[in-house]
Amino acid sequence: MGDYMQIPNYEKARSRSKNEVKVRDFKLNQEYKKIGLNKKFFLKTYGCQMNEHDSENIKGMLEKMSFSETMEMEDADFILLNTCSIRENAHNKAFGMLGRIKHLKALKPNIIVALCGCMAQEVGVVEEILKKYKFVNFVFGTHNLDDLPKLLDQSFKNPKLNIEVYSMEGDIVENIPVSRVSKYKAYVNIIYGCDKFCTYCIVPYTRGKQRSRHKEDIIKEVKELVKDGYQEVTLLGQNVNAYGKDLYDDYELADLLVDVAKTNIPRIRFLTSHPWDFSDKLVEVIKKYDNIVNFVHLPVQSGSSRILKLMGRRYTSESYKELYDKLRSIDNISITTDIIVGFPGETEEDFEDTLDLVNYCKFDSAFTFIYSPRENTPASKLEDKVPLEEKEQRLYRLNELINKYSKESNLKMVGKTYEVLTEGYSVKEGMLFGYTETNKLVNFKGSSDAIGKIVKVLIRDAKSFSLDGEIIE
Ligand code: SAH
Ligand code: SF4
Ligand code: F3S
């Protein structure tokens, strides 16, 4: 088997072929359907919503192969890590887990262990597995998720380490079985990959070229979710605003949102928006349709136009603010962002530009990160003299400001009533929890009948990260 290993390659991962992307249907080989009888799997997922959704597909496939899930790694016959490469700490967590699994496997040598997701697409990670983690049975990448049944079958027959990672995307595979975490809200992929190549980011190498799903397939999936009683869909992609560009002459995200809105699903979210592709038509569509949420996650990354240029983001601080103002003109909209501090060469002045931008935008909330150099990315080759301590200080100062504005935006909601999709029992005793249209977490008093429904909640109190309230209807 070793001779046929398929190892990742960055030259191929960077290339963008003009080949037409084919669409095919998932088929489960009859002989794989019983492999998991009386066997348990343990699946650990790192990373973004796209990875979470891939894990829902992984679970779907494993359940069709008769496996059942266990939450205890020690009880599993098959352990799978679905990994993320975005920052160093995601790496460290996955490798730490592999360390634990190594001990377990010394006691139970028959367990099958596999690794998939974005880290599998990294040359350095695969080299390290080949050198130091030979007990792993197989590794597969983001472009051949649907090979899992075959690889698992091979592994039970011949447990020797096998790597099957393709650096270039293949077909779009429709109808992979899915086992969704929630009965009320669902993820729906609309576009795979990313062609933006921001200089700090590894995703274009781990997820391949931008490929839109056909609109008919997306709408069919949403209609089925409506039939099954789902209250909310999140349309997913690394850059959803590029939807359709690789597939249609005259059909973009705004058009897709209109078609999805017409299915009458109560709530439609979309993630993530790159400011570069955000059209005026999209702003209008958000305004017009009630079931398209008034919520936009619009990562800015930095408030310094100089740093934005080095990041390859292709907008300036000024043009970001212009777009931001257009969106703020929508009633009750909530806007959140992502910010990186400590990009190579970021000066105190650049950082203050970021603080200025935050003071201007007053985001509803934000995810903030210290820049983490990623293998093979252009930014990782830039000189970086800012000491880590300084970066940590900047992150701290930034978070103080972000939290202040989060709390302000939450305080404005006190005394008013909002629709909340109830998800279940809160960690706070005797309370339920759910999210507003604007993605604010609310803990509230109410009866369990509310679970799975959109209810009206009066907000009584606000904190930086959540709201407290009570059901009024
Ligand atoms: N496609 C989305 C972001 C996906 S990654 C977009 O373009 O906005 C989520 C966030 O991780 C990014 O917005 C960025 O803030 C952060 N991130 C990505 N690469 C990073 C790196 N090398 N170091 C630190 N943060 C990073
Ligand atoms: Fe990464 Fe930029 Fe693509 Fe987002 S748009 S996934 S940050 S390359
Ligand atoms: Fe991580 Fe890959 Fe998502 S790198 S953030 S899991 S696309």
Side-chain angles (χ1 to χ4, degrees), residues 46-52 54 82-87 90 117-119 122 142 201-203 206-207 238:
Y46 304 86
C48 63
Q49 289 90 347
M50 256 146 291
N51 245 23
E52 283 172 26
D54 283 349
N82 187 9
T83 60
C84 169
S85 314
I86 203 81
R87 282 170 293 275
C118 287
M119 276 171 69
E122 283 185 71
T142 58
C201 183
I202 200 166
V203 171
T206 63
R207 292 272 167 172
Q238 282 300 348

Side-chain angles (χ1 to χ4, degrees), residues 194 196-198 200-201 203-204 238 274 301 313:
C194 180
K196 289 287 183 269
F197 289 98
C198 303
Y200 52 82
C201 183
V203 171
Q238 282 300 348
H274 191 302
Q301 314 299 1
R313 292 289 286 184

Side-chain angles (χ1 to χ4, degrees), residues 441-454:
L441 171 62
V442 189
N443 293 300
F444 56 96
K445 286 190 211 113
S447 94
S448 57
D449 302 346
I451 295 174
K453 296 193 186 110
I454 294 176

